[in-house]
Amino acid sequence: MFGRKKTLNDELAPTAPADPARPGAKNRPTPKRREQEALNKRPLIVTDRKAASAQDKAARREAMAKQRAGMMTGNEKYLPERDKGPRRRFIRDSVDSRWNIGEFMLPVMLIVLLLSFVRQSWALLLVFVMVYGLILVAIGDALLMWRRTRRKVEDKFGSAERGDAWYAIMRAFQMRRTRMPKPQVARGEHPA
């Protein structure tokens, strides 16, 4: 009613934003405190316990699967503390690169168990000799393996730490397929 009349040029002219975009600025209005607090509010006690339990189980299962996959590949991030570090990786690789007598103990013990059911004197004697003979030979093999490995560890890292011998010997007594982290070297392929 009062004021100037609009012309065609005014309608076609682009409207400039009130605040032009500035580099380095957030270029949006600050949200109200009430709105931000409302976004962060969650109930302390979940109303649907079954859904929350299922969601928690799924998250734990996913985390465990991720950790297991990391352990399978030997990823340092997912290894437990006892397996972390270049020293332990070197020990694992040196144990995995050779044939160990201790890893055959479980299959032989199954045969011994079956032979123990035979109530013949020759079978019982064979069981006795196999059990104690295999244990003595496996312990001797593990100790020789550790002597060689210790020399390599001392050459590469300085002195061997406490617990390294036990770590190597226990790994040597596990069957190769069941070792965790999985062996990263083939037999005969010695670590550098």
Side-chain angles (χ1 to χ4, degrees):
M1 189 158 144
F2 301 109
R4 67 175 228 238
K5 294 190 177 197
K6 293 184 179 178
T7 63
L8 189 59
N9 289 341
D10 288 342
E11 290 176 8
L12 295 177
T15 56
D19 296 325
R22 298 172 305 172
K26 67 180 176 183
N27 295 320
R28 62 180 166 80
T30 303
K32 301 260 190 237
R33 181 182 203 142
R34 188 178 325 129
E35 294 168 0
Q36 285 301 105
E37 287 178 351
L39 288 175
N40 291 333
K41 281 188 180 177
R42 289 181 211 95
L44 292 176
I45 299 173
V46 181
T47 55
D48 190 6
R49 289 181 183 236
K50 283 187 178 180
S53 174
Q55 186 179 13
D56 186 43
K57 273 185 186 176
R60 270 188 285 138
R61 191 177 300 121
E62 183 179 322
M64 292 288 284
K66 192 174 181 181
Q67 184 176 11
R68 182 165 175 80
M71 276 191 66
M72 293 281 215
T73 59
N75 188 344
E76 285 283 322
K77 181 180 175 184
Y78 297 105
L79 294 178
E81 280 300 314
R82 69 160 199 253
D83 295 323
K84 284 186 178 178
R87 174 189 301 272
R88 291 293 169 104
R89 176 178 287 279
F90 183 80
I91 292 171
R92 277 196 310 269
D93 289 347
S94 64
V95 170
D96 293 338
S97 68
R98 67 187 297 269
W99 290 93
N100 299 296
I101 295 174
E103 64 187 284
F104 297 108
M105 283 188 64
L106 185 63
V108 171
M109 290 303 168
L110 290 174
I111 295 169
V112 165
L113 180 68
L114 293 175
L115 279 175
S116 67
F117 290 120
V118 177
R119 294 292 175 194
Q120 299 290 326
S121 61
W122 64 268
L124 295 176
L125 180 65
L126 186 62
V127 165
F128 180 79
V129 169
M130 284 179 74
V131 168
Y132 290 106
L134 185 63
I135 288 173
L136 290 175
V137 170
I139 289 172
D141 178 58
L143 292 174
L144 288 174
M145 178 270 309
W146 172 241
R147 282 186 59 200
R148 287 188 209 115
T149 305
R150 185 182 68 213
R151 273 190 242 125
K152 292 177 189 174
V153 168
E154 287 173 351
D155 289 344
K156 187 164 183 164
F157 298 104
S159 64
E161 289 182 357
R162 186 174 176 204
D164 285 349
W166 191 247
Y167 183 75
I169 291 171
M170 292 311 293
R171 188 156 177 100
F173 275 88
Q174 294 172 350
M175 290 190 326
R176 187 175 171 90
R177 288 185 182 186
T178 62
R179 293 178 186 164
M180 285 300 253
K182 292 289 184 189
Q184 302 295 315
V185 295
R187 292 192 199 267
E189 179 185 332
H190 296 284

